[in-house]
Amino acid sequence: MVKIYVLSAPNKLVDLLIRSLKAKSFDAILFSSLFEIRKHTEEEKPDALILADNLKEKTLDELIKSVLETPKLDGIPIIGLIPDDHSMESVKTFFNNGAAEVINLSMEIEEILLRIRLRIQEAGLRNVMTPNEYFFSEAQEKEQGKRSGIFHFYNPQKIHVGEIAVKEGRVVHATYADIIKEDAFLQLACNSVLSFRFEDTDDIEVGKIDASITNLLLEAYKLKDEIKKQENMLEDALKSLIIDDNRIERLLANRMLKLIGVNSKVVGLNEFSLRLMGQFTPSFLILDYKIAEKIMNTVWQNGRKADDIPVIIYCDEQLKDLNFSQIGKHQIDYVVYKKNLYLEIKSMLTNLFNFSPEN
């Protein structure tokens, strides 16, 4: 018997839904708090959880996050329920935070049952996933066997985030959010928090790349090694990567950094890639404000944190207020006008790296 947990505040229409589910041979149990569900899941795990948008203790975003972070509910499809009038904002919130489905009480019970069964079946497929630490060996096996298919990648909330298509043992397509081709492959291969499953299929079209899995894995190995080495980078000479579409501004910044003993490289937005990051392994980034968020979205899909590679934002004087420490979902370390970089960079580097030009 399919077991469904329902988390909802008291609501007559929700009670009617539970009775309808039971009439269709579903074992539906109503809970009024996540705490009760967590206690109950110590004994048995449900096949799905219906979460109503009518609990007032937390915002819907916070509630879904708390549900997804409950270990015993890992892999269980979360089905959003909108008890009253159809709200597009609630639908967006459910889907944006990892819900597998959204239903409302105006639907026929047969449609609700169909949606629930479908999401339970999908969850069964998704749960047959492999931690990303085994991707290297799995990818090599696909190359050696000249297999065709798609690696599907999922984040810890079991949300699909990217894929790598393989045709007769060669990579022909890769995407990770807005990253494509070889950069997407490297990002997916080196992300330790992801998991994956491989879908065997011969229906793979020729893509925009035709790359050897072994060659890409060698690059990924190098990128992973360099990421580890960055933890000890304070012992080495500092290296800066300056990314700015204004050639004059970035060359002036490069010249100034070299004068104080920092090895730096300059590129524009179109020249930047994760490969470049892996090959150059900068100690810190200097980003033009206008393109900073796009660059950081590429490097840190889930947002840059304080313990990641330091980021200094430099900008033109048109930006009047420099009193911010975050751009989008990314934390940043310093903001400075381009004309003042030469005055403030030593102080910034001293705070970040215990830097002194003499060293």
Side-chain angles (χ1 to χ4, degrees):
M1 181 179 291
V2 176
K3 184 176 293 295
I4 305 292
Y5 288 175
V6 181
L7 178 55
S8 171
N11 185 292
K12 292 181 180 179
L13 293 177
V14 174
D15 293 340
L16 179 60
L17 172 63
I18 291 174
R19 289 197 295 271
S20 299
L21 290 172
K22 290 181 176 180
K24 297 293 183 177
S25 299
F26 280 68
D27 183 9
I29 305 174
L30 176 64
F31 297 90
S32 60
S33 73
L34 183 57
F35 175 75
E36 293 177 357
I37 288 181
R38 285 173 172 164
K39 285 179 60 179
H40 211 75
T41 51
E42 294 296 327
E43 301 176 1
E44 54 183 350
K45 193 173 182 178
D47 296 292
L49 171 67
I50 296 177
L51 176 59
D53 181 20
N54 62 6
L55 294 160
K56 305 302 181 184
E57 291 79 7
K58 294 183 177 181
T59 66
L60 187 55
D61 303 71
E62 294 171 334
L63 185 58
I64 299 171
K65 182 180 179 182
S66 297
V67 170
L68 291 171
E69 289 176 350
T70 301
K72 293 292 184 178
L73 295 176
D74 184 43
I76 298 301
I78 307 302
I79 299 171
L81 171 63
I82 303 173
D84 302 314
D85 293 337
H86 186 80
S87 168
M88 184 51 65
E89 285 305 312
S90 293
V91 172
K92 290 179 181 178
T93 301
F94 273 120
F95 282 129
N96 288 338
N97 286 277
E101 182 60 88
V102 179
I103 59 177
N104 64 72
L105 295 174
S106 65
M107 293 177 176
E108 296 289 337
I109 185 62
E110 294 300 330
E111 180 181 354
I112 291 175
L113 296 177
L114 183 63
R115 289 172 180 264
I116 292 174
R117 288 195 179 101
L118 179 60
R119 300 315 167 202
I120 291 173
Q121 290 173 1
E122 287 179 345
L125 290 174
R126 288 186 180 185
N127 287 335
V128 185
M129 290 192 293
T130 307
N132 222 28
E133 62 185 287
Y134 300 105
F135 172 71
F136 283 64
S137 59
E138 287 278 342
Q140 288 176 316
E141 185 271 329
K142 302 302 182 282
E143 182 177 55
Q144 293 164 4
K146 294 188 176 181
R147 300 268 293 277
S148 296
I150 303 173
F151 285 99
H152 298 278
F153 291 82
Y154 300 86
N155 67 15
Q157 286 74 45
K158 302 297 188 295
I159 300 172
H160 186 268
V161 294
E163 60 184 35
I164 295 171
V166 178
K167 186 176 181 67
E168 297 179 354
R170 294 183 66 82
V171 176
V172 296
H173 178 71
T175 60
Y176 185 25
D178 57 353
I179 308 172
I180 60 172
K181 300 197 290 187
E182 290 91 342
D183 275 2
F185 182 100
L186 295 177
Q187 185 81 293
L188 291 167
C190 296
N191 193 325
S192 61
V193 304
L194 302 181
S195 55
F196 69 90
R197 66 180 179 87
F198 184 75
E199 174 191 359
D200 273 297
T201 175
D202 293 324
D203 188 21
I204 302 293
E205 297 182 359
V206 175
K208 294 184 178 180
I209 56 175
D210 179 18
S212 160
I213 289 178
T214 295
N215 289 343
L216 289 174
L217 289 177
L218 288 173
E219 286 195 56
Y221 272 119
K222 181 178 179 181
L223 180 58
K224 290 184 77 171
D225 287 342
E226 295 298 341
I227 290 171
K228 291 179 182 178
K229 289 178 184 177
Q230 287 169 0
E231 297 175 0
N232 301 318
M233 200 164 280
L234 296 184
E235 300 174 4
D236 304 324
L238 292 181
K239 294 193 289 185
S240 168
L241 180 59
I242 304 168
I243 308 174
D244 190 345
D245 282 334
N246 187 315
R247 183 175 286 105
I248 293 176
E249 297 284 6
R250 72 196 193 201
L251 290 177
L252 285 173
N254 178 52
R255 180 177 180 276
M256 182 269 300
L257 285 169
K258 287 186 181 298
L259 289 174
I260 63 172
V262 177
N263 180 19
S264 60
K265 182 183 288 289
V266 296
V267 296
L269 175 61
N270 292 334
E271 301 164 283
F272 171 77
S273 70
L274 288 176
R275 280 187 176 183
L276 178 64
M277 285 279 290
Q279 292 165 356
F280 184 61
T281 61
S283 312
F284 63 100
L285 304 180
I286 296 181
L287 308 178
D288 176 46
Y289 175 77
K290 294 187 290 294
I291 59 174
E293 185 170 10
K294 189 167 186 178
I295 293 293
M296 290 189 286
N297 284 342
T298 299
V299 180
W300 296 285
Q301 288 291 306
N302 296 320
R304 182 192 170 271
K305 303 297 188 295
D307 55 353
D308 288 319
I309 300 172
V311 171
I312 297 171
I313 302 297
Y314 77 156
C315 57
D316 300 317
E317 292 181 79
Q318 286 89 338
L319 188 66
K320 300 303 181 184
D321 184 7
L322 302 189
N323 188 29
F324 58 91
S325 60
Q326 188 150 335
I327 295 179
K329 58 187 175 183
H330 309 285
Q331 295 181 33
I332 56 176
D333 295 284
Y334 290 101
V335 185
V336 61
Y337 287 127
K338 292 181 179 182
K339 68 172 186 176
N340 293 334
L341 183 65
Y342 79 101
L343 295 173
E344 301 184 33
I345 189 64
K346 288 183 183 179
S347 174
M348 295 176 187
L349 297 182
T350 298
N351 291 334
L352 291 171
F353 301 107
N354 193 25
F355 169 83
S356 65
E358 295 75 19
N359 294 332

